[in-house]
Amino acid sequence: MTVIFWTLAVIAVFALALAAQMRMMISVVLRRALAAKFGGGPNDLEYRAAILSLGRGEADTDARKYLEAEYPNPLAHMKLARRVSLGGPVVLLAIVAAGKFWLGVF
C-alpha cells in the first residue's frame, strides 16, 4: 500500500508542477504574440489582462479577440492547466488523507 500511496502522490505533484509550467509558458508565448501583433512590450498591463481574462465570458478587447481567433489550441491548454491548478491541491490532499487514515502510510 505504501507504493501505491507514493505513486499517486508523485503523480499528483508532477501534475501540479506541469500545470504551473504550462500556465507560465503559454502566458509568455501569448503575450509575445500580442506584442508582435499590436506593438509594445510583452509585459504591458493590457496584454497581461487579456491573458488573465481568457475563458471568462465574451471577448471584449482586440487583444483577446485576436488570441481567441488565432490561438485556439494554446487557449485550450491554458484552460486545462487552470483546471489542474485548481483541482490538483484537492486531489493531493485527498491522497494524503487516504494515506494517513486508510492505508496507514504515516
Side-chain angles (χ1 to χ4, degrees):
M1 288 299 171
T2 303
V3 172
I4 292 171
F5 167 77
W6 285 109
T7 302
L8 291 174
V10 166
I11 289 171
V13 169
F14 178 74
L16 281 170
L18 184 63
Q21 179 189 13
M22 284 175 58
R23 289 181 74 172
M24 287 186 285
M25 295 296 291
I26 293 171
S27 175
V28 168
V29 168
L30 292 178
R31 283 187 284 127
R32 286 181 180 173
L34 287 172
K37 172 72 175 177
F38 296 108
N43 290 328
D44 289 349
L45 289 178
E46 177 186 353
Y47 301 152
R48 287 183 174 271
I51 299 296
L52 189 62
S53 69
L54 288 171
R56 298 179 180 151
E58 196 66 31
D60 54 350
T61 62
D62 290 336
R64 192 167 156 200
K65 289 176 186 175
Y66 171 73
L67 289 176
E68 289 178 356
E70 296 295 322
Y71 298 98
N73 288 338
L75 298 184
H77 289 285
M78 179 74 87
K79 289 178 186 177
L80 175 63
R82 282 181 180 161
R83 278 188 242 134
V84 172
S85 295
L86 292 174
V90 175
V91 170
L92 186 59
L93 183 63
I95 291 169
V96 170
K100 170 82 173 156
F101 297 113
W102 291 296
L103 301 176
V105 174
F106 299 109

